[in-house]
């Protein structure tokens, strides 16, 4: 009985022809392109089993790494499921970071160099974020906000994972003031000013790469030990991670890289899809196999996703297909307001009892807050793939809470100081300073009116006093409307975002979520308590991963997951894609890949929801679904292809690029069209 027959008998797994070929290809470099739902983890584990059972390779000679801890755990669990009764020794599955740390720790022990890790569960006196905040204040004289902390940390990760030289630091954009100077101060402090050498997670990669270059003994020993190197989710690997793997794989180059360039979505933290696209250049003798068959999704979902991803140009050409039957048609729902979108979700999830097979996906964590509120009100338990409670510390949330606090006691000058520039009271800085000198006491508006203000201020101050009196007496929902409209906060949001470079779309999302949360609550105090309650249940949700609950996840974190029913929400203009995506071809291609990841999580039921102005992706996917049979779509534009135009008749494609196509019509001469226009209007048919 051959290996595959034995595996079928022992595990129930039956591989297709391409998967079998991938298992057999053990010697030399192999790039295995695995489209969504194509069984890559099963194939990779079968390949490891083949090495152990058929080629008698020692488990210690196999290095199996993946990008994430969750991915490593999944590979390990699947391997145990298949082979725990067949092999005496286990293969060690790890993340690239944990493998890099092994190298670094060994080198520093050899050098008798002490060090401290300042991320994760730190026990020393230093912690990465606290250190960054202190250094930022030292460099700029200002305090670092939570949003700025995220941007700065991402900037540092990007620099290290892309191995950016010092001379090129200024070319890397960051929204944080003096990011380059803070980064240099941070690196200097860790190496030269602390009591011991400090390492963050990205440093593990940097030092591992350096050790493999400078320490021949360590490099040679790892290269000799690992005769076979296998990597999963390689599209997420950064430049430095690819480099580490390539060094370890030498000189055997028995390297199996499992990846899908169409699911590379972490460019912002240094992932580099170009290394996959250049694989044959790096390894001229490499084998490249493509697993195109999707075992997961219905035929409608597979066809739509396969067509949509072809709008990208920097990719391996693939044609994903499935033998699964049709299921529920893909649904498209556009709502004028986010609150109506939430109501639609509420109706949908409350009638679906199979919560384990239900997921709601979104690009930004902010989208989750109003959804969490809705789920909790309906007593629907959930698991959050990524818990993020920064919403409660967002500047819009803090502003709204301060408006409410001030309405309780309009004599609180300390609160007024935080918001006086954010409503249309026309209070001057010098007036605010005088109020501060006097301290809290009687109504601030009364004191200002008694102090002979300018004539144009009198009306505004009286109106502001009246509106704050109303805020204190109204329900939270009505109070927020007064703050937003009558006190002019919505206009302030726009001005603040423009002046300080904040994301207005994100700020609007926060305000919309606050209005949704406020619905039905009786008092302002109840509203503040509700926000605290939401923070608590979001934090608790991370412990429900294995329970029979609904899943909430960002699109980025949804990779590797699959569900019977998936809702992708806030498929809105300037969200997916963002303005930044639209202005950068590389970012736009990644946004396309991110959307592709989201829609391929669904097995049978997929709904796309938008509010406000729909995303171009929303309408493009809808046009793919609605396109008549025979109409040209992404991937169909090739030179010499015969086409029929609904007005100009028969013609031949003579040239095309990313944006346009040029056609020589037999009776009307040459014409040029925008490709996307042709696709959306279905004006070209295959001849």
């Amino acid at each position: 009985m051959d290996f595959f027959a034995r595996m079928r008998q022992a595990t129930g797994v039956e591989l297709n022809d391409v998967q079998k070929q991938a298992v057999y290809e053990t010697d030399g470099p192999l790039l295995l392109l695995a489209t969504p739902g194509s069984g890559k983890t099963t194939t990779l584990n079968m390949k490891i089993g083949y090495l152990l059972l058929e080629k008698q390779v020692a488990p210690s000679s196999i290095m199996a790494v993946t990008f994430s801890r969750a991915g490593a755990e999944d590979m390990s669990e699947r391997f145990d499921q298949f082979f725990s009764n067949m092999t005496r020794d286990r293969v060690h599955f790890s993340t690239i970071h944990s493998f890099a740390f092994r190298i670094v720790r060994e080198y520093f022990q050899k050098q008798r160099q002490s060090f401290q890790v300042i991320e994760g569960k730190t026990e020393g006196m230093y912690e990465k974020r606290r250190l960054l905040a202190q250094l930022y204040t030292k460099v700029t004289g200002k305090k670092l906000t939570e949003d700025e902390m995220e941007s700065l940390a991402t900037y540092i990760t990007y620099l290290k994972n892309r191995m950016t030289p010092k001379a090129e630091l200024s070319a890397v954009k960051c929204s944080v003031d003096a990011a380059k100077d803070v980064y240099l101060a941070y690196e200097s402090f860790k190496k030269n000013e602390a009591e011991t050498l400090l390492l963050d997670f990205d440093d593990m990669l940097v030092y591992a790469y350096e050790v493999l270059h400078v320490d021949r003994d360590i490099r040679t020993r790892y290269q000799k030990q690992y005769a076979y190197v296998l990597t999963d989710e390689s599209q997420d690997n950064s430049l430095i991670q690819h480099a580490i793997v390539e060094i370890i794989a030498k000189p055997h180059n028995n390297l199996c890289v499992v990846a899908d360039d169409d699911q590379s979505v972490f460019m912002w933290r240094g992932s580099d899809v170009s290394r996959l696209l250049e694989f044959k250049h790096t390894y001229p003798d490499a084998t490249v196999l493509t697993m195109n068959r999707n075992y997961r999704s219905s035929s409608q979902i597979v066809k739509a996703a396969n067509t949509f991803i072809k709008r990208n140009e920097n990719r391996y050409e693939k044609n994903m297909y499935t033998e699964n039957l049709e299921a529920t048609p893909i649904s498209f729902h556009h709502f004028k307001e986010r609150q109506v979108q939430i109501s639609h979700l509420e109706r949908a999830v409350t009638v679906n009892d199979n919560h384990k097979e239900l997921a709601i996906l979104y690009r930004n964590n902010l989208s989750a807050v109003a959804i969490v509120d809705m789920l909790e009100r309906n007593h629907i338990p959930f698991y959050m793939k990524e818990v993020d409670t920064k919403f409660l510390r967002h500047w819009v949330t803090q502003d709204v809470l301060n408006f409410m606090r001030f309405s309780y006691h309009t004599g609180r000058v300390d609160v007024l100081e935080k918001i006086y520039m954010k409503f249309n009271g026309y209070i001057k800085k010098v007036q605010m300073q005088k109020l501060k000198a006097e301290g809290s006491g009687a109504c601030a508006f009364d004191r200002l009116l008694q102090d002979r203000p300018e004539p144009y201020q009198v009306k505004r101050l009286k109106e502001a006093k009246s509106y704050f009196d109303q805020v204190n007496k109204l329900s939270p929902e009505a109070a927020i409307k007064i703050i937003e409209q009558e006190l002019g906060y919505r206009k302030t949001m726009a001005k603040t975002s423009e002046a300080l470079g904040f994301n207005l779309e994100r700020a609007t999302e926060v305000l919309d979520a606050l209005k949704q949360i406020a619905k039905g609550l009786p008092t302002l105090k109840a509203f503040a308590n509700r926000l605290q309650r939401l923070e608590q249940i979001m934090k608790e949700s991370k412990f429900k991963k294995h329970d029979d609950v609904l899943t909430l996840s960002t699109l980025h974190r949804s990779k590797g997951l699959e569900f019977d029913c998936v809702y992708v929400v806030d498929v809105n203009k300037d969200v997916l894609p963002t303005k930044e995506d639209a202005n950068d071809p590389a970012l736009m291609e990644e946004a396309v890949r991110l959307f592709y990841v989201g829609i391929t999580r669904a097995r049978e039921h997929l709904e796309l929801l938008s509010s406000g102005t729909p995303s171009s992706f929303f309408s493009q996917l809808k046009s793919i679904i609605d396109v008549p049979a025979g109409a040209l779509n992404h991937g169909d534009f090739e030179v010499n292809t015969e086409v029929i135009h609904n007005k100009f008749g028969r013609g031949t494609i003579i040239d095309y690029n990313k944006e346009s196509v040029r056609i020589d019509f037999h009776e009307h001469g040459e014409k040029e069209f925008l490709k996307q226009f042709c696709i959306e209007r279905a004006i070209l048919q295959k001849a």
Side-chain angles (χ1 to χ4, degrees):
M1 191 182 296
D2 72 7
F3 175 76
F4 297 113
R6 284 192 291 130
M7 290 303 100
R8 183 170 62 248
Q9 188 177 79
T11 67
V13 171
E14 185 166 1
L15 302 185
N16 63 36
D17 290 343
V18 177
Q19 292 170 331
K20 288 178 181 177
Q21 188 180 353
V23 169
Y24 277 135
E25 293 281 348
T26 57
D27 298 325
L30 167 66
L31 173 59
L32 183 58
L33 297 169
T35 58
S38 59
K40 68 177 179 62
T41 304
T42 297
T43 304
L44 194 55
N45 270 311
M46 287 295 161
K47 187 177 182 71
I48 295 171
Y50 182 79
L51 288 171
L52 296 172
L53 301 173
E54 292 293 306
K55 299 203 70 173
Q56 300 298 304
V57 175
S60 59
S61 295
I62 299 173
M63 179 171 120
V65 295
T66 189
F67 177 75
S68 66
R69 186 181 295 112
E73 289 173 356
D74 183 41
M75 284 174 64
S76 182
E77 288 171 7
R78 298 271 195 99
F79 183 83
D80 286 346
Q81 178 187 338
F82 294 146
F83 299 108
S84 59
N85 297 325
M86 302 182 205
T87 59
R88 215 171 26 182
D89 300 316
R90 295 187 76 254
V91 172
H92 180 66
F93 298 88
S94 73
T95 65
I96 188 71
H97 277 90
S98 63
F99 175 71
F101 185 53
R102 281 171 56 195
I103 296 172
V104 172
R105 184 173 52 199
E106 180 180 341
Y107 178 76
F108 285 146
Q109 286 174 349
K110 183 178 175 182
Q111 298 295 320
R112 292 184 170 84
Q113 166 73 60
S114 62
F115 66 92
Q116 181 199 331
V117 177
I118 58 173
E119 279 191 273
K121 295 179 180 178
T122 59
E123 296 180 359
M125 64 181 292
Y126 297 105
E127 192 275 328
K128 179 181 179 178
R129 295 192 166 221
R130 189 163 58 246
L131 178 58
L132 281 173
Q134 292 168 353
L135 291 172
Y136 178 82
T137 300
K138 183 178 179 181
V139 170
T140 68
K142 297 185 289 186
K143 284 190 175 181
L144 193 65
T145 68
E146 192 141 348
D147 282 350
E148 289 172 330
M149 174 65 79
E150 290 300 316
S151 296
L152 185 59
T154 300
Y155 169 77
I156 292 171
T157 290
Y158 181 87
L159 294 178
K160 293 184 180 181
N161 277 269
R162 299 287 299 187
M163 297 191 285
T164 309
K166 273 189 178 182
E168 298 176 17
L169 293 178
S170 298
V172 180
K173 295 178 182 177
C174 182
S175 59
V176 178
D177 290 341
K180 173 187 169 182
D181 295 333
V182 177
Y183 168 71
L184 293 173
Y186 175 63
E187 291 302 293
S188 175
F189 186 92
K190 287 186 299 167
K191 294 174 184 175
N192 306 316
E193 299 173 46
E195 289 81 354
T196 186
L197 180 68
L198 306 180
L199 301 181
D200 61 27
F201 289 156
D202 299 310
D203 289 327
M204 294 176 190
L205 301 173
V206 173
Y207 279 96
Y209 177 76
E210 291 176 356
V211 168
L212 291 172
H213 277 84
V214 301
D215 192 311
R216 182 179 178 182
D217 290 341
I218 290 178
R219 179 179 69 249
T220 303
R221 185 155 42 77
Y222 276 105
Q223 287 175 335
K224 284 182 177 179
Q225 177 181 348
Y226 293 118
Y228 294 89
V229 179
L230 304 97
T231 72
D232 193 15
E233 299 287 356
S234 299
Q235 72 277 350
D236 294 332
N237 282 354
S238 66
L239 201 63
I240 197 168
Q241 290 168 340
H242 281 298
I244 290 170
V245 169
E246 288 169 5
I247 292 170
I248 297 298
K250 291 176 181 177
H252 312 284
N253 281 337
N254 295 330
L255 172 64
C256 174
V257 173
V258 183
D260 183 6
D261 52 303
D262 289 331
Q263 296 186 71
S264 177
V265 294
F266 291 106
M267 187 165 62
W268 48 272
R269 67 182 185 199
S271 68
D272 192 311
V273 74
S274 67
R275 297 300 295 168
L276 297 179
L277 299 177
E278 296 166 359
F279 195 80
K280 282 288 284 184
H281 177 75
T282 307
Y283 302 101
D285 60 335
T287 300
V288 179
L289 299 175
T290 304
M291 298 200 303
N292 280 333
R293 182 176 175 182
N294 182 299
Y295 290 90
R296 175 189 302 158
S297 304
S298 69
S299 60
Q300 298 107 313
I301 293 170
V302 171
K303 288 175 185 176
N306 184 58
T307 302
F308 181 78
I309 195 61
K310 287 187 176 185
R311 59 169 287 165
N312 277 359
E313 290 196 340
N314 296 314
R315 61 185 294 269
Y316 284 99
E317 182 59 34
K318 312 179 198 72
N319 279 300
M320 183 170 61
Y321 73 97
T322 187
E323 295 181 9
N324 295 343
L325 300 176
E326 291 190 352
T328 310
I330 299 173
S331 298
F332 298 82
H333 301 282
H334 171 59
F335 308 101
K336 290 184 178 179
E337 297 179 348
R338 281 192 176 88
Q339 291 93 324
V340 186
Q341 176 183 257
I342 294 293
S343 297
H344 174 85
L345 275 176
E346 184 173 23
R347 289 191 296 271
V349 300
T350 51
V351 298
N352 190 334
D353 294 329
N354 191 12
H355 293 152
K356 187 75 172 176
E357 289 299 336
L358 197 63
I360 301 172
L361 310 180
Y362 36 82
R363 181 165 197 175
N364 299 323
N365 277 302
L366 284 173
S367 296
V369 181
I371 298 170
V372 167
D373 178 64
M374 176 271 290
L375 293 173
E376 205 270 344
R377 289 176 191 245
N378 286 280
H379 308 291
I380 297 175
F382 62 90
Y383 160 66
M384 290 191 81
K385 189 77 164 58
E386 180 182 22
V387 176
D388 185 335
T389 58
K390 290 195 297 291
F391 167 85
L392 298 163
R393 289 171 291 283
H394 193 279
W395 58 274
V396 171
T397 303
Q398 291 302 310
D399 284 349
V400 169
L401 288 173
N402 280 328
F403 274 102
M404 292 180 174
R405 289 187 187 106
F406 185 65
S407 76
Y408 271 107
H409 181 10
T410 54
R412 281 197 61 180
V413 174
D414 59 326
V415 180
L416 178 61
E417 185 182 17
K418 296 175 182 177
I419 59 171
Y420 80 99
M421 297 289 288
K422 298 181 178 183
F423 64 91
N424 47 17
Y426 290 5
I427 301 173
K428 295 179 180 180
K429 192 172 183 179
V430 65
Q431 292 172 312
M432 189 66 239
Q433 289 173 339
K434 186 177 180 183
L435 286 174
K436 275 184 70 179
E438 295 172 358
S440 296
C443 172
F445 296 116
D446 288 342
R447 283 190 269 169
L448 288 169
L449 286 166
Q450 290 168 6
D451 201 26
R452 297 182 180 179
E454 299 289 342
Y456 70 87
Q457 288 182 291
V458 174
K459 180 182 177 183
R460 292 293 188 181
L461 291 170
K462 288 180 178 179
E463 286 178 347
K465 179 184 178 183
S466 173
Y467 288 135
F468 274 104
D469 286 343
Q470 291 179 51
V471 166
N472 190 36
K473 297 169 186 173
L474 292 171
S475 68
E477 184 180 6
I480 293 175
K481 285 183 179 178
I482 292 286
I483 294 166
E484 176 187 15
Q485 296 168 13
E486 307 304 334
L487 284 167
Y489 184 67
R490 181 169 278 275
K491 290 182 180 178
T492 297
M493 278 171 47
K495 290 178 182 176
T496 301
S497 298
E498 183 177 359
L500 301 179
F502 293 162
N503 187 319
L504 180 58
E505 177 69 26
R506 197 73 53 86
T508 304
E509 282 183 49
V510 174
L511 190 62
D512 287 345
L514 291 173
K515 288 190 284 189
Q516 180 68 30
I517 294 165
K519 280 192 171 184
L521 295 176
T523 64
L524 302 187
K525 185 176 181 180
F527 175 73
N529 290 340
R530 181 65 180 164
L531 292 180
Q532 291 179 349
R533 170 64 180 152
L534 291 178
E535 180 176 28
Q536 179 187 347
I537 62 174
M538 287 167 74
K539 288 179 177 177
E540 291 171 354
S541 74
K542 66 182 178 182
F543 301 111
K544 298 179 180 178
K545 180 178 181 179
H546 301 292
D547 295 351
D548 183 17
V549 296
L550 177 150
T551 296
L552 299 178
S553 175
T554 61
L555 291 167
H556 282 97
R557 297 291 183 186
S558 70
K559 282 205 312 173
L561 305 180
E562 55 183 83
F563 306 89
D564 286 348
C565 184
V566 170
Y567 299 88
V568 184
V569 303
D570 286 339
V571 189
N572 302 337
K573 182 182 178 184
D574 297 337
V575 174
L576 188 64
T578 63
K579 290 178 182 176
E580 291 80 8
D581 295 336
N583 293 325
D584 185 324
L587 290 178
M588 177 58 90
E589 290 218 343
E590 181 159 280
V592 169
R593 296 194 292 265
L594 185 61
F595 188 56
Y596 174 77
V597 165
I599 61 181
T600 53
R601 299 309 93 198
R603 296 193 191 101
E604 299 175 355
H605 186 102
L606 172 64
E607 289 195 27
L608 304 177
L609 282 60
S610 74
S611 55
T613 305
S615 159
S616 57
F617 292 174
F618 185 92
S619 55
Q620 285 165 18
L621 195 70
K622 192 172 189 306
S623 73
I624 290 170
I625 301 297
D626 296 339
V627 73
L632 260 67
N633 223 312
H634 295 291
D636 294 330
F637 293 89
E638 296 289 345
V639 173
N640 296 326
T641 299
E642 294 288 318
V643 298
I644 298 174
H645 188 276
N646 54 13
K647 179 179 178 182
F648 301 116
R650 185 177 288 270
T652 304
I653 294 178
I654 58 174
D655 193 19
Y656 70 95
N657 56 36
K658 187 175 182 180
E659 302 295 335
S660 62
V661 58
R662 193 162 188 80
I663 302 171
D664 182 9
F665 291 103
H666 302 171
E667 297 181 4
H668 297 275
E670 294 183 7
K671 307 283 184 185
E672 189 168 1
F673 304 92
L674 291 173
K675 284 169 64 176
Q676 194 60 44
F677 179 83
C678 294
I679 293 167
E680 291 180 1
R681 302 297 177 89
I683 64 173
L684 293 175
Q685 305 286 318
K686 296 174 185 175

